[in-house]
Amino acid sequence: MPMRRMRTITEAAAWAVETDPETALTRSAIRRMVLSGAIPHVAVGRKRLVALEDLEAFLEARAPAEVGVIRPIR
């Protein structure tokens, strides 16, 4: 089993900015996703650690299929 890249919420937000400098993803947004249970995490003391793989998978699953296309409202 490959080693998972576990990071604090602050480090995960920094990774997102490093990966995509134009990202709108913030530390607060990641924190809300972690606390709501949308992204799995591990609590270590007062810190919460997230796997970058889980964060990336969550974001990819939520990405719109077609960017720039107006979808019909039904």
Side-chain angles (χ1 to χ4, degrees):
M1 179 175 215
M3 183 68 106
R4 298 179 61 94
R5 299 175 295 161
M6 302 297 286
R7 302 290 186 270
T8 64
I9 292 172
T10 302
E11 292 169 341
W15 169 83
V17 170
E18 181 182 312
T19 303
D20 178 13
E22 300 294 320
T23 188
L25 188 62
T26 63
R27 181 181 151 280
S28 297
I30 295 172
R31 184 175 183 278
R32 282 193 305 271
M33 290 185 279
V34 165
L35 294 177
S36 71
I39 299 174
H41 69 280
V42 175
V44 179
R46 295 181 63 180
K47 294 181 181 183
R48 313 245 186 225
L49 300 178
V50 295
L52 294 181
E53 295 83 3
D54 292 339
L55 177 60
E56 194 170 26
F58 176 81
L59 294 174
E60 286 176 0
R62 302 278 301 194
E66 297 180 28
V67 176
V69 176
I70 297 175
R71 65 177 179 81
I73 298 174
R74 298 178 187 177

